[in-house]
């Protein structure tokens, strides 16, 4: 099939918009809208057509730019987790006590959930089903976080400073309370004041971190 031509009569390469095409949003905006769509609909229900509609691009944009919906999903996740992972790595590499490290990671985890609630919703959905995406999340983000934490946890358990429980139980004891930061309609019915602001969510994240870390580490801050 002959290549499409521009209004100058010259062939136009694949994915290159014509003169009348709408301008493509900036990369950060594309990834933000992609996150909104995946978080709202889930991966399977997010079609290329729906993505094109919400991103304001042509129907073949995702394929031309990213190669596939799966590649676009990974680009969305990487864009949102790259800085988060770097910050967490700095915490894990810090020269601090085991208990301080556990507390710092828990605080950072809840703060991150406040800053990116849609990501927390997406992760909750993906953690509940077997898929290549779960493998990607675990291998690239979960395992690298847990690997340096496990020795610290084992030392704290051996010293009687943490309850001796399986790692999976400990993991879900920390991640499950994120629901309190992102499930706002239920939170309001339980008495959380409105409107919710960045500052109020940050306070809730701190309260949650104090409650969870204090319970795990036998601390009872006032």
């Amino acid at each position: 099939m002959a290549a499409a031509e521009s209004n100058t009569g010259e062939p136009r390469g694949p994915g290159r918009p014509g003169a009348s095409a709408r301008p493509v949003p900036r990369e950060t905006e594309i990834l933000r809208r992609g996150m909104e769509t995946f978080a709202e609909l889930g991966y399977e229900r997010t079609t290329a057509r729906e993505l094109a509609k919400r991103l304001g691009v042509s129907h073949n944009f995702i394929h031309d730019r990213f190669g596939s919906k799966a590649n676009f999903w990974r680009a969305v996740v990487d864009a949102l987790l790259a800085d988060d992972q770097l910050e967490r790595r700095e915490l894990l590499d810090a020269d601090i006590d085991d208990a301080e490290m556990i507390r710092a990671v828990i605080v950072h985890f809840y703060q991150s959930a406040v800053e990116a609630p849609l990501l927390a919703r997406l992760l909750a959905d993906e953690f509940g089903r077997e898929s290549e995406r779960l493998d990607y999340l675990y291998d690239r983000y979960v395992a690298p976080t847990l690997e340096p934490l496990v020795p610290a946890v084992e030392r704290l358990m051996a010293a009687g400073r943490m309850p001796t429980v399986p790692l999976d139980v400990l993991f879900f004891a920390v991640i499950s309370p994120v629901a309190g930061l992102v499930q706002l309609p239920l939170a309001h019915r339980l008495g959380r004041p409105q409107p919710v602001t960045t500052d109020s969510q940050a306070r809730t994240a701190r309260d949650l971190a104090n409650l969870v870390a204090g319970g795990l580490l036998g601390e009872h801050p006032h």
Side-chain angles (χ1 to χ4, degrees), residues 98 101-102 145-158:
D98 288 340
M101 178 189 295
I102 299 299
T145 296
L146 290 180
E147 183 177 355
L149 277 178
V150 170
V153 167
E154 291 176 342
R155 287 191 294 268
L156 289 168
M157 289 181 178

Side-chain angles (χ1 to χ4, degrees), residues 61-83:
F61 173 84
I62 295 297
H63 182 272
D64 289 345
R65 175 72 70 89
F66 298 95
S68 67
K69 183 177 78 169
N71 285 344
F72 179 57
W73 180 91
R74 285 190 284 270
V76 166
V77 168
D78 288 346
L80 282 163
L81 284 176
D83 289 344

Side-chain angles (χ1 to χ4, degrees), residues 167-183:
L167 180 61
D168 63 296
V169 174
L170 178 62
F171 182 83
F172 283 106
V174 173
I175 71 166
S176 298
V178 167
L181 299 171
V182 298
Q183 295 180 2

Side-chain angles (χ1 to χ4, degrees), residues 7 12-13 32 41 55 92 110 114-115 122 131 138 183 189 196:
N7 58 0
R12 187 168 68 243
R32 184 188 67 78
L41 302 179
L55 270 58
L92 295 172
Y110 294 146
V114 166
E115 294 168 3
L122 180 149
S131 69
Y138 189 86
Q183 295 180 2
R189 284 166 173 77
V196 169

Side-chain angles (χ1 to χ4, degrees), residues 99-213:
E100 290 180 83
M101 178 189 295
I102 299 299
R103 170 175 283 280
V105 169
I106 291 173
V107 169
H108 181 263
F109 179 67
Y110 294 146
Q111 288 174 339
S112 298
V114 166
E115 294 168 3
L118 292 178
L119 178 61
R121 188 185 306 175
L122 180 149
L123 294 178
D125 183 57
E126 295 297 346
F127 286 165
R129 65 190 76 241
E130 288 288 348
S131 69
E132 292 182 356
R133 298 181 304 282
L134 177 56
D135 290 338
Y136 185 82
L137 289 168
Y138 189 86
D139 293 341
R140 192 175 180 90
Y141 296 106
V142 178
T145 296
L146 290 180
E147 183 177 355
L149 277 178
V150 170
V153 167
E154 291 176 342
R155 287 191 294 268
L156 289 168
M157 289 181 178
R161 297 176 64 189
M162 282 185 69
T164 302
V165 296
L167 180 61
D168 63 296
V169 174
L170 178 62
F171 182 83
F172 283 106
V174 173
I175 71 166
S176 298
V178 167
L181 299 171
V182 298
Q183 295 180 2
L184 295 180
L186 177 58
H188 294 319
R189 284 166 173 77
L190 292 170
R192 184 168 304 170
Q194 298 193 58
V196 169
T197 65
T198 301
D199 288 342
S200 70
Q201 280 289 79
R203 286 193 299 271
T204 301
R206 288 194 298 271
D207 290 343
L208 193 59
N210 286 333
L211 179 65
V212 173

